[in-house]
Amino acid sequence: MFVSLLYKKRSFFGLLEVYNMSDKPVLAEPKNMFEEFLKTMIEIDASDLHLVHNNPVTFRVHKKIVKTQKFIRGNDIFKLLIESKAIDDYQINNFHELKSANFAVTFSGVRFRGNLSQARGEYTLVIRRLSDKAIPLHKIGLPEQVVETIKRDTGLILVTGPTGSGKTTTLTSLIDYVNKNMSVHIATAEDPIEFVHRSSENSIITQREVGSDTPSFSAALKDVLRRDPDVILIGEMRELETIENGIIASSTGHIVFCTLHTNTCADSIDRLVSVFPVMQQQNIRSQLSSNIRMIINQRLIPKIGGGVVPAYEVLFPNKEIRKAIKEDRIEDIEELMEKYKGDGNILLKDAVQQLKDQGLVDTNTVY
């Protein structure tokens, strides 16, 4: 059997000799094959692990795909998760119903997020390594104006970008700052919980995971307003009811953080509006024009010499931008951001150019 064969020899990836292991932390001994994969991810500094039926075990290291010489079967992928108890009955049932399940696990103090799905009738699994500590907000490269914005007592803050752009890291830093520097109750709904926050001396934080703590994002949002929150985190706004409740919460004396998979700040507004029936869209535009406090859109750009560095597009709506949102002139937002750079607005092209000027990324980098 593939799994038992791999478990007998830790050098099966043929990767450990390639990477310098001398400066790596001492890790816990794996109790099963799944933890063996997680340990190897930490040792070779991989951001992702891909397990696909009849394909090589594959890692992503510093944005590059690295394939091993060992193949895996779909059934063995599922067995890895069952034998390690990485997924529970809820997630198994969710997979059988939706052909997809999200989960999170911790190994040797490091948090990982997983997605089990189906491709051509076979199991496929992607594991992402999450940051094991919150990066201080002042160190992730966002403008100082962000701090003043999150100190407000109401409004909607969106952290957006494509998959793998570092949204989780940014959101973790934002919530960590609020937790440590404000006297508030932070209530979250996440799928899954990716970073475990601890209540600070100033604040209380309660994190609920969809599936184990609440049946859905929309159900969590219905409950949350009865739980005396000041700050609300929605892991992702996916469906109409969640978006609607999130907008309502942001207009009733709460700061609401959420993430979206979009490519620009302007796209984020379009995405939220497009979920609603046409007859409701103008009302939603009107609410968004009043409630949005900030939109962050980001990319991770390969650095010269290895690693990645974030590039941020940031929108701070002023009177004219709010008017453009309300009047469905989304195509004008980029031009208005350019016009009102003095208000703190940053376009992604300018952020990337600044990284080039600083010598951090290649001058031929495109985004």
Side-chain angles (χ1 to χ4, degrees), residues 62 72 79 82 91 104 140 176 190 209 249 261 289 353 362:
H62 300 159
I72 191 167
K79 289 175 184 176
I82 296 298
Q91 290 150 344
I140 65 172
D176 182 66
E190 303 170 71
E209 182 165 298
H261 289 78
S289 68
Q353 185 58 52
D362 191 279

Side-chain angles (χ1 to χ4, degrees), residues 158 160 265 268-269 292-297 313-316:
L158 305 177
T160 70
C265 291
S268 303
I269 299 165
I292 290 176
R293 293 290 172 263
M294 174 174 64
I295 303 176
I296 299 169
N297 186 269
E313 179 172 274
V314 188
L315 170 63
F316 297 102

Side-chain angles (χ1 to χ4, degrees), residues 63-240:
K63 303 287 282 187
K64 294 182 180 179
I65 292 293
V66 179
K67 294 187 176 183
T68 71
Q69 297 177 352
K70 297 297 181 180
F71 284 66
I72 191 167
R73 298 191 303 267
N75 285 340
D76 288 327
I77 295 171
F78 191 68
K79 289 175 184 176
L80 284 173
L81 300 178
I82 296 298
E83 291 173 0
S84 64
K85 299 181 180 179
I87 55 177
D88 58 24
D89 289 342
Y90 168 81
Q91 290 150 344
I92 294 170
N93 292 335
N94 207 39
F95 175 82
H96 288 316
E97 181 180 352
L98 304 175
K99 303 303 181 186
S100 178
N102 298 314
F103 62 95
V105 295
T106 301
F107 171 73
S108 201
V110 180
R111 193 80 168 157
F112 297 85
R113 178 184 70 208
N115 174 262
L116 176 68
S117 58
Q118 189 169 297
R120 298 179 63 188
E122 297 287 352
Y123 296 107
T124 178
L125 176 67
V126 178
I127 300 291
R128 167 152 294 178
R129 179 183 173 182
L130 304 172
S131 175
D132 52 3
K133 60 178 67 176
I135 303 173
L137 190 56
H138 68 277
K139 290 187 177 181
I140 65 172
L142 284 167
E144 293 182 6
Q145 191 172 338
V146 167
V147 172
E148 296 306 314
T149 302
I150 63 177
K151 285 181 177 178
R152 298 185 183 184
D153 59 5
T154 187
L156 184 62
I157 295 175
L158 305 177
V159 179
T160 70
T163 300
S165 60
K167 296 186 295 295
T168 297
T169 299
T170 298
L171 196 58
T172 297
S173 294
L174 291 167
I175 295 299
D176 182 66
Y177 180 89
V178 172
N179 183 32
K180 293 177 179 177
N181 294 277
M182 298 169 64
S183 181
V184 293
H185 173 208
I186 305 165
T188 82
E190 303 170 71
D191 182 21
I193 293 174
E194 298 185 356
F195 184 91
V196 179
H197 294 271
R198 306 297 180 190
S199 297
S200 69
E201 293 182 2
N202 301 315
S203 298
I204 301 170
I205 183 162
T206 52
Q207 293 178 264
R208 303 180 75 194
E209 182 165 298
V210 173
S212 57
D213 300 315
T214 180
S216 65
F217 282 114
S218 58
L221 275 173
K222 287 179 180 177
D223 294 340
V224 75
L225 296 182
R226 302 186 182 99
R227 297 172 52 228
D228 186 35
D230 302 291
V231 177
I232 300 169
L233 164 63
I234 308 169
E236 187 174 351
M237 284 189 168
R238 296 175 181 171
E239 68 282 322
L240 187 151

